Amino acid sequence: MAQPLNFVLNVPETPEEHSQEPSPYDENEVHDSFHQLIQEQSQWVAEEGLELQQREPGAGGPKTSGCGQHALPGPEDALAHSAATLRVLASMPSRTIGRSRGAVICQYYNRSVRLRRRVSRPELKGVGRSARPSLRLYDLELDPAALQEEEKRFLLVKELEGLPVAQRNHMLRGMPLGLAEKRCLREETQTPKEKQRGRQGPHGLFPCCGRLRDACVLALHNLGLGLLGGLHALRPWHYALKQIGGQFGSSVLSYFLFLKTLLAFNALLLLPLLAFIVGVQAAFPPPAPPGSVPSFTGLELLTGGGRFTHTVLYYGYYSNSTVSQPCVPPSGGGQCSREADSLPYSMPLAYLFTVGLAFFITCITLVYSMSHSFGESYRVGSTSGVHAVTVFCSWDHKVTQRRASRLQHDNIRTHLKELLAEWQRRRGSQSACGRLRRVAVRGLVWLLSLGTTLGCTVAVYAFSELMIKSPVSVEQEGALLALPVVVCLLNLGAPYLFRCLAALERHDSPVLEVYVAVCRNLILKMVILGILCYHWLGRRVGTLKDQCWENFVGQELYRLMVLDFIFVLLDTLFGELVWRLISEKQLKRREKPEFDIAGNVLELIYGQTLTWLGVLFSPLLPAIQIVKLLLIFYVKKTSLRANCQAPRRPWLASHMSTVFISLLCFPSFLGAAVFLCFAVWRVKPSSTCGPFRSLNSMYEAGKVWVRHLEEAGPRVSWLPWVHRYLVENTFPVYLVSALLLAVIYLHIQVVKGQRRVICLLKEQISNEGEDKVFLINKLHSVYERKERSRAGRTQEAERLTDDPDAW
């Protein structure tokens, strides 16, 4: 790797200047407004033709080996550079950084002249060499004419004295000079009255009062900074997520980030339901059902029935009437006036459109999140030097606290482990026989996994049919937990069998291993949920003719959610804590179990699917899901730190969030949307409960509303037209679906196009660098030929001079 060359300007020295250090005054400060000055000074350097010569080793620069010269990398490996080459190098934009102090004073003198509009005074354009551009890593001798700089300083002070105090202070603060230089300029530009006021303190106060005022202002400023820094604490689990990513890597972190995303989705789903359905019905409660209200026994927390049946938690509580303010007759008697009645609020219409609007908002958010995650995870980066960039450029030097520095250290270390593991896996190779053997083993494992899934599906279907044939009475409410317990046991036991079978496959890539486990668990859970949906809408609707079947479906989903949370806690307790204790105490192993990313992520997707399936029959189910996710986060975080270890084979989870969002969108959300659309359009509601009790389908609520609008008058005649052609007609639905799919496809294609453009730009940048090296070497070779020809002519002339007979 070539070292930087050290050059000096070949300018004659003066006796006064010989003892000074030949370096610019302020090389460290860079100001953006000096671009024009840099161009002017560079032109002056080129016009005057200052010769750049290479420094000798003894001139105070860094010593070189050999002949004291450093070679530029090039095809010809030249060791010396001519003056023309050095002039070209010095004119390159990358060699100029900062300005000298004379240029700064000249710049701000001209600016102050423009502020005061003093046209009579000329601007300092014809400055000397002290305003020339400086060269980074080169020692430049300044112009010995210090009188010109002093004159410019004097003119700047005079111009600053004529400015207002506020404008003068603002300009001084903006100057790219040192603090000592700014203080000197401030003192020189102050009037005697301002100096006297400064000694007395601000606003004419005594020094002690001024110090007290400054202390108060500083305390308020620090308080504001503390409050501003406290805003970061409002982000949920910000520091906890950093700790998890630093200790366990991006693969485990992706699970907690996905959990945080689900919290946002449920909060977005819950807000319209609370505002337009639950809140309105709670403000105007329907009349109490006949009979005594059952007492609270505590079993309702598991079954969701009993006292919870006649609450806003379930569909059956909501009325099918129009909600309005009660009519208060006037004191003198008579009927209510029309102004006394408020606008009617149709609960059936609000219930239907609010659930549809909530699902539409969730769909748009999911599509946006998936496209955004796709763009983030598949962003093109340079893979050739990513290890060096991580080592030398990842540290944040603004971090000063010990805890934050330790956390950043863990993050960088874990990221390097993941990068190195990914690099080693790419270099690995395998023979043809080994590949064939692994394909056969993996095919057999897939057959066993699909057979296990089929067996679980048959078991759920048989048990659901048994529950229909043996109905449970009201007194035996605990027996309703039988089907959810069977489903949760199968969802808990089958993934462990899949993990044992996956040990036979021996995947080289941990990413592929996680994807295979996710695929198998997803097939299992989606098939079981499909059987349950058929059980609810295909079988239970016919057996519960005289009852509120919507409440039963909502309670079933509530029981599944609660028991799923309980089994997650049991899995955490026995699968992680007990296994760690057995491994440490009995087996005398120091290794802890790894965090099962695939199983835990599928549990989250399964719970979110239950929420979307039950939002029509239990509007408060998203609130229960939010509480469940919060508890799961803290339980999993505590168990992860105490009972689990980082993955034995580190791997970089760059696309994991995109995969999770995609699985949440297509199998989960799409299946829940199909289930709810079938319930709204095809299934007849119960005749004893709910807002749609008098209709043949829930969708007829919109038709009834349209008929009322047609009878209302011509002022709202456009609303029936909108409903007829945009809601009843299926073409807009297909059109919107096609547009969403087209947006996703176009976004994917745009990302692919950006990747290609970035690759082309990188190749072009590399070619530009090679062109510069090529041109510099060509210039050097041309100069060498000229020097050789000049030396040849000189030798020939000397020979002719020494030998007159040669003439």
Side-chain angles (χ1 to χ4, degrees):
M1 184 175 178
Q3 299 180 0
L5 300 174
N6 297 323
F7 302 101
V8 295
L9 280 173
N10 189 13
V11 182
E13 297 182 354
T14 59
E16 298 81 14
E17 192 182 19
H18 185 72
S19 60
Q20 299 179 358
E21 181 70 20
S23 62
Y25 288 91
D26 295 304
E27 282 285 327
N28 297 328
E29 297 292 332
V30 182
H31 199 275
D32 296 334
S33 62
F34 297 146
H35 179 68
Q36 183 178 359
L37 284 176
I38 289 174
Q39 293 180 349
E40 295 175 0
Q41 301 303 320
S42 301
Q43 292 175 3
W44 292 345
V45 170
E47 291 173 0
E48 294 181 7
L50 293 178
E51 290 290 334
L52 288 173
Q53 297 179 356
Q54 191 170 353
R55 287 193 62 169
E56 296 297 328
K63 296 183 179 181
T64 59
S65 61
C67 60
Q69 296 175 345
H70 297 278
L72 255 178
E76 299 180 8
D77 293 328
L79 297 177
H81 297 282
S82 64
T85 303
L86 300 179
R87 189 180 299 113
V88 171
L89 290 174
S91 302
M92 293 175 65
S94 60
R95 302 299 179 95
T96 57
I97 177 171
R99 301 293 298 166
S100 63
R101 185 177 60 180
V104 173
I105 295 176
C106 173
Q107 173 80 10
Y108 280 91
Y109 165 73
N110 296 333
R111 185 178 297 180
S112 61
V113 168
R114 286 194 296 270
L115 289 174
R116 294 191 59 192
R117 299 179 181 178
R118 295 281 298 274
V119 188
S120 59
R121 292 192 180 184
E123 295 186 357
L124 297 180
K125 292 184 178 179
V127 297
R129 296 176 180 176
S130 60
R132 290 175 179 172
S134 58
L135 302 181
R136 185 174 62 178
L137 302 178
Y138 296 92
D139 296 331
L140 299 181
E141 297 181 355
L142 300 178
D143 188 46
L147 293 178
Q148 294 182 4
E149 185 174 338
E150 293 296 330
E151 181 182 358
K152 291 183 292 182
R153 181 186 178 87
F154 176 75
L155 292 175
L156 177 62
V157 170
K158 288 298 183 182
E159 293 297 333
L160 290 175
E161 287 178 352
L163 294 176
V165 178
Q167 197 170 9
R168 183 198 312 160
N169 294 335
H170 178 72
M171 180 172 288
L172 284 173
R173 282 194 296 268
M175 288 184 181
L177 295 174
L179 290 176
E181 188 72 22
K182 289 183 180 180
R183 290 194 187 100
C184 294
L185 289 174
R186 187 188 300 273
E187 292 176 359
E188 292 177 5
T189 56
Q190 283 181 345
T191 60
K193 185 182 297 185
E194 292 176 354
K195 293 180 180 179
Q196 182 68 22
R197 184 183 303 170
R199 285 192 292 268
Q200 291 181 356
H203 304 289
L205 301 174
F206 292 101
C208 60
C209 299
R211 286 195 295 269
L212 179 62
R213 175 182 173 275
D214 293 339
C216 294
V217 172
L218 185 61
L220 291 175
H221 180 69
N222 292 334
L223 179 62
L225 291 179
L227 293 176
L228 186 62
L231 293 177
H232 296 283
L234 297 178
R235 291 183 291 179
W237 318 314
H238 180 65
Y239 184 72
L241 292 176
K242 283 189 173 182
Q243 283 184 325
I244 293 171
Q247 296 177 8
F248 298 94
S250 59
S251 56
V252 180
L253 179 63
S254 61
Y255 165 78
F256 291 92
L257 292 176
F258 183 62
L259 191 150
K260 184 180 176 182
T261 304
L262 290 183
L263 269 176
F265 284 148
N266 284 281
L268 193 63
L269 180 65
L270 182 63
L271 286 178
L273 297 176
L274 287 177
F276 299 106
I277 299 179
V278 180
V280 175
Q281 192 63 71
F284 303 97
S292 60
V293 179
S295 60
F296 183 76
T297 60
L299 191 61
E300 291 88 347
L301 295 176
L302 293 177
T303 62
R307 185 69 178 270
F308 289 166
T309 304
H310 305 286
T311 59
V312 291
L313 182 60
Y314 295 116
Y315 165 92
Y317 181 80
Y318 296 89
S319 64
N320 63 339
S321 60
T322 300
V323 177
S324 60
Q325 291 284 351
C327 177
V328 180
S331 58
Q335 297 181 352
C336 298
S337 60
R338 181 167 297 181
E339 290 79 7
D341 294 335
S342 62
L343 292 175
Y345 191 88
S346 176
M347 280 304 301
L349 195 64
Y351 199 98
L352 181 64
F353 277 89
T354 303
V355 173
L357 178 65
F359 258 74
F360 182 74
I361 294 175
T362 305
C363 178
I364 297 298
T365 310
L366 268 174
V367 171
Y368 172 77
S369 300
M370 187 171 58
S371 60
H372 179 72
S373 178
F374 182 85
E376 288 290 331
S377 61
Y378 289 90
R379 182 179 294 171
V380 179
S382 178
T383 58
S384 58
V386 66
H387 301 86
V389 171
T390 306
V391 172
F392 296 106
C393 303
S394 296
W395 188 262
D396 187 2
H397 294 277
K398 296 183 292 183
V399 175
T400 57
Q401 297 180 358
R402 178 171 298 181
R403 187 178 68 169
S405 62
R406 188 185 302 113
L407 180 61
Q408 190 172 4
H409 173 268
D410 294 339
N411 279 320
I412 296 174
R413 181 189 61 192
T414 307
H415 187 57
L416 282 174
K417 287 182 179 179
E418 294 173 349
L419 290 175
L420 291 174
E422 191 73 20
W423 178 70
Q424 290 176 356
R425 280 190 292 270
R426 290 177 182 175
R427 293 171 59 92
S429 59
Q430 191 177 2
S431 62
C433 296
R435 291 178 184 176
L436 185 61
R437 189 186 308 111
R438 290 197 175 185
V439 167
V441 171
R442 290 171 185 175
L444 179 60
V445 170
W446 267 105
L447 289 177
L448 293 176
S449 301
L450 292 178
T452 304
T453 302
L454 181 61
C456 294
T457 305
V458 172
V460 171
Y461 178 77
F463 200 83
S464 62
E465 291 293 327
L466 181 63
M467 293 291 294
I468 292 176
K469 295 177 181 179
S470 304
V472 179
S473 61
V474 180
E475 291 79 8
Q476 298 175 344
E477 191 175 358
L480 295 173
L481 296 172
L483 181 60
V485 167
V486 170
V487 172
C488 292
L489 282 175
L490 294 177
N491 284 330
L492 180 64
Y496 278 100
L497 180 59
F498 293 159
R499 291 176 65 180
C500 295
L501 293 175
L504 302 175
E505 294 177 323
R506 296 181 181 179
H507 291 284
D508 295 331
S509 173
V511 184
L512 180 61
E513 184 178 351
V514 171
Y515 286 163
V516 170
V518 166
C519 186
R520 290 170 182 166
N521 292 334
L522 184 67
I523 293 174
L524 171 69
K525 295 182 184 297
M526 291 299 112
V527 170
I528 290 178
L529 283 178
I531 294 297
L532 291 177
C533 291
Y534 170 75
H535 168 70
W536 294 328
L537 295 186
R539 303 287 293 167
R540 281 294 183 178
V541 174
T543 57
L544 299 174
K545 294 181 179 179
D546 299 332
Q547 302 178 20
C548 188
W549 65 266
E550 292 90 351
N551 276 4
F552 178 81
V553 175
Q555 291 172 4
E556 283 278 297
L557 289 163
Y558 175 88
R559 287 190 283 267
L560 284 171
M561 286 189 62
V562 172
L563 289 178
D564 178 67
F565 174 68
I566 293 175
F567 275 82
V568 166
L569 296 181
L570 293 176
D571 182 31
T572 305
L573 177 63
F574 292 100
E576 296 177 0
L577 177 60
V578 175
W579 176 249
R580 179 182 69 86
L581 294 177
I582 293 175
S583 178
E584 291 180 353
K585 303 297 181 182
Q586 301 296 329
L587 303 179
K588 303 299 181 181
R589 296 178 181 175
R590 294 183 178 180
E591 294 183 354
K592 299 179 181 179
E594 294 186 14
F595 188 78
D596 185 14
I597 301 173
N600 286 284
V601 167
L602 263 297
E603 287 294 334
L604 294 180
I605 295 178
Y606 173 73
Q608 188 60 40
T609 308
L610 293 177
T611 304
W612 284 331
L613 290 174
V615 71
L616 181 65
F617 311 106
S618 179
L620 285 181
L621 217 56
I624 300 173
Q625 176 71 358
I626 290 176
V627 176
K628 174 186 170 184
L629 290 176
L630 289 172
L631 295 176
I632 285 178
F633 176 83
Y634 290 106
V635 169
K636 288 295 182 181
K637 184 189 73 170
T638 306
S639 176
L640 178 68
R641 287 183 171 181
N643 305 320
C644 297
Q645 66 174 7
R648 297 182 183 88
R649 295 187 298 170
W651 51 284
L652 190 63
S654 56
H655 310 312
M656 195 61 67
S657 299
T658 305
V659 174
F660 293 162
I661 294 294
S662 301
L663 294 178
L664 185 68
C665 181
F666 287 108
S668 177
F669 180 79
L670 186 62
V674 170
F675 173 79
L676 293 183
C677 289
F678 181 80
V680 169
W681 263 279
R682 302 287 296 178
V683 183
K684 183 178 180 179
S686 300
S687 59
T688 58
C689 64
F692 309 102
R693 66 189 68 178
S694 59
L695 303 175
N696 293 325
S697 66
M698 299 181 186
Y699 179 70
E700 283 193 2
K703 295 182 178 180
V704 174
W705 175 63
V706 168
R707 286 196 294 267
H708 287 303
L709 289 177
E710 291 176 349
E711 297 173 358
R715 290 182 299 176
V716 291
S717 58
W718 58 277
L719 288 175
W721 181 88
V722 169
H723 183 271
R724 184 179 303 111
Y725 289 100
L726 296 183
V727 179
E728 290 186 358
N729 194 1
T730 57
F731 177 74
V733 178
Y734 291 117
L735 180 62
V736 171
S737 303
L739 287 177
L740 289 177
L741 294 176
V743 167
I744 297 173
Y745 176 76
L746 289 176
H747 188 81
I748 294 173
Q749 294 300 319
V750 166
V751 171
K752 288 183 178 179
Q754 290 176 352
R755 294 175 67 183
R756 294 172 185 170
V757 170
I758 290 173
C759 292
L760 292 176
L761 289 176
K762 287 181 179 179
E763 185 178 356
Q764 184 177 356
I765 290 172
S766 177
N767 293 334
E768 291 289 341
E770 294 177 0
D771 290 344
K772 289 181 180 179
V773 174
F774 174 77
L775 290 175
I776 290 174
N777 285 279
K778 284 295 182 183
L779 178 63
H780 183 71
S781 62
V782 169
Y783 179 77
E784 282 186 341
R785 287 197 297 268
K786 288 184 179 180
E787 288 294 330
R788 284 196 297 267
S789 63
R790 185 184 302 172
R793 288 195 300 268
T794 303
Q795 292 177 1
E796 183 68 22
E798 292 177 354
R799 189 179 64 81
L800 293 176
T801 304
D802 296 339
D803 189 8
D805 298 335
W807 293 90

